[in-house]
Amino acid sequence: MITGVAARVIVGLADFYTMVIFIYVMLSWFPHSYGVMGDIYRVLGTICEPYLKIFRAIIPPVGGVDFSPIIAFVVLQLIVRLLV
């Protein structure tokens, strides 16, 4: 069984990663080819894309809309809740 401190750390890390994915998705809606926003987007992409690619392989974009972040959020939260 996971102790209280370990559970809080796991939940905190999962919440942080969820927020990083959310920011990455929000930034994808705006032009970001140069400047600070482009750099931030690229850094977040290196962090988020490996995880999101798993879900894009299962559920491709439908009509230009990518649902993989939603599924990624749900799966991440389910895994954390099962661990804790």
Side-chain angles (χ1 to χ4, degrees):
M1 197 70 177
I2 296 177
T3 65
V5 174
R8 285 194 299 267
V9 169
I10 291 170
V11 169
L13 288 173
D15 289 345
F16 176 75
Y17 193 61
T18 299
M19 185 58 63
V20 169
I21 293 171
F22 179 77
I23 293 168
Y24 178 66
V25 169
M26 292 295 110
L27 285 176
S28 72
W29 293 359
F30 302 101
H32 53 322
S33 58
Y34 61 91
V36 175
M37 294 306 278
D39 294 338
I40 293 171
Y41 184 75
R42 281 188 287 283
V43 169
L44 293 178
T46 60
I47 296 168
C48 299
E49 278 301 319
Y51 181 62
L52 293 175
K53 281 183 183 178
I54 296 168
F55 302 99
R56 285 192 188 116
I58 299 168
I59 304 166
V62 178
V65 178
D66 185 10
F67 291 102
S68 63
I70 297 169
I71 306 303
F73 290 145
V74 170
V75 169
L76 181 61
Q77 293 303 314
L78 282 173
I79 290 170
V80 168
R81 298 308 175 234
L82 289 174
L83 286 175
V84 176

